Amino acid sequence: MRVISYFLVLGLIFSGIISCKPKKSADEILPSDTTKKYPLIWSEEFNYDGLPDSTKWSYETGYLRNNEKQYYTNKRTENARVEGGILVIESRKENWKGFDYTSASINTLGKDSFPVNSRIEIRAKLPKGKGIWPALWMMGTDIITVDWPACGEIDIMEYLGRTPGVIYGTFHWQDASRSDSALHRAKGDSTRLNDATENFHIYGVERTADKLSFFVDDNYFFEFRADSTVKKDLFRHPYYLLINTAVGGDWGGEIDTTIFPQKYYVDWVRVFDMGNE
């Protein structure tokens, strides 16, 4: 037993060493495309354990939208936690406040927002199975006053368990050319990534005053340029970030009840200043 315990301790020490991410200064962190020398202006490296950092993240709570089947919990480590240098969003099949599933949706609203001429990168590994719907997305910080879709929505990455290997990027807005203020418009595209649920990849978007460029691992797959239907300042105003996993709903579709729990892993989030590009 003494020998077994000795090697067990060594193993635990070694695993602890390799699971901890070395801390880097802002000057050391570059965009994933290192030919672009943009300075870092905000990051979340998840170099701690426990609940997501309350100085950076808030929670959406309860039942929210899209006929989804999950209840988003607040400050519950079973659904949102940081461990081993990774954010884990865990979706569970369990009875909670009258719902059959729990999950988490964290965001930076009221904490941090991100300006025009910026590049957002998120390194993540996605959950899988029918009914799972993880996303990395942004909305305008004026959502409280103008509501959706007038605030604008940038879906950096959406993944549907029912369409394995497909990554979606989309922009949503309110049609400014119509008198019907409720008219919602959207445009997007997709790319294939067959190992999104097995390996980490970098998902991102570059924002300028008139263009959005979506990419996965620096491969650009969708570009959207503002047209006459887009409110003039919609690309220019600040946006906040959301990270969540939905279950089922209008787009998530039918749920395979045997897949749970499912974990969505986020290694880091980084925002770079693109200057006047």
Side-chain angles (χ1 to χ4, degrees):
M1 287 295 294
R2 187 175 299 170
V3 174
I4 294 174
S5 298
Y6 173 75
F7 284 106
L8 177 61
V9 170
L10 281 181
L12 290 171
I13 292 172
F14 181 71
S15 65
I17 291 172
I18 63 173
S19 67
C20 292
K21 296 183 295 186
K23 291 186 177 181
K24 294 182 178 181
S25 69
D27 292 338
E28 295 177 297
I29 297 176
L30 295 173
S32 55
D33 180 351
T34 56
T35 64
K36 299 181 176 183
K37 305 298 184 182
Y38 305 142
L40 183 74
I41 57 174
W42 188 92
S43 76
E44 168 63 290
E45 302 295 321
F46 299 113
N47 284 314
Y48 55 90
D49 289 305
L51 289 169
D53 183 350
S54 62
T55 68
K56 292 184 176 181
W57 302 104
S58 299
Y59 297 79
E60 293 189 296
T61 305
Y63 168 75
L64 299 175
R65 53 185 168 256
N66 302 322
N67 294 310
E68 297 161 10
K69 307 306 179 185
Q70 81 287 336
Y71 187 99
Y72 285 131
T73 63
N74 181 38
K75 298 181 180 179
R76 184 174 184 246
T77 55
E78 289 88 344
N79 296 117
R81 60 188 177 275
V82 178
E83 55 186 21
I86 302 287
L87 169 68
V88 181
I89 301 290
E90 183 169 332
S91 303
R92 301 162 63 95
K93 187 179 187 304
E94 58 182 338
N95 192 307
W96 188 267
K97 298 184 184 297
F99 287 76
D100 293 327
Y101 301 91
T102 61
S103 191
S105 178
I106 64 173
N107 66 84
T108 66
L109 182 61
K111 309 283 185 177
D112 291 290
S113 61
F114 309 108
V116 69
N117 295 325
S118 61
R119 174 183 169 103
I120 317 293
E121 297 181 358
I122 304 101
R123 185 172 186 263
K125 182 169 72 169
L126 310 183
K128 61 184 176 181
K130 287 184 178 179
I132 284 293
W133 179 6
L136 303 164
W137 51 304
M138 308 179 80
M139 287 199 291
T141 55
D142 57 352
I143 186 172
I144 297 172
T145 56
V146 303
D147 209 350
W148 183 93
C151 64
E153 175 183 328
I154 304 168
D155 295 327
I156 301 170
M157 181 285 299
E158 290 183 284
Y159 182 82
L160 303 175
R162 62 181 174 83
T163 58
V166 181
I167 303 297
Y168 299 91
T170 312
F171 180 60
H172 299 260
W173 72 100
Q174 178 178 296
D175 192 335
S177 68
R178 296 280 297 271
S179 59
D180 178 1
S181 62
L183 185 61
H184 161 229
R185 296 191 62 170
K187 189 172 183 180
D189 205 344
S190 64
T191 187
R192 289 208 63 85
L193 190 63
N194 292 327
D195 66 341
T197 61
E198 283 75 41
N199 293 302
F200 282 88
H201 292 274
I202 296 173
Y203 305 91
V205 67
E206 291 181 344
R207 291 178 54 209
T208 68
D210 62 0
K211 183 176 71 171
L212 298 171
S213 302
F214 296 74
F215 60 88
V216 177
D217 295 333
D218 296 319
N219 297 311
Y220 294 84
F221 69 94
F222 173 51
E223 180 180 286
F224 179 78
R225 289 185 177 273
D227 59 29
S228 60
T229 70
V230 179
K231 185 180 176 182
K232 181 179 179 181
D233 294 327
L234 198 56
F235 280 18
R236 296 175 174 84
H237 70 193
Y239 281 73
Y240 69 99
L241 179 70
L242 304 95
I243 305 175
N244 73 290
T245 301
V247 179
D250 296 336
W251 209 30
E254 181 182 353
I255 303 167
D256 179 352
T257 62
T258 68
I259 64 172
F260 297 90
Q262 281 295 315
K263 297 178 182 179
Y264 175 12
Y265 301 97
V266 179
D267 187 8
W268 44 254
V269 182
R270 295 170 180 170
V271 184
F272 300 90
D273 181 4
M274 294 170 57
N276 295 320
E277 290 195 13

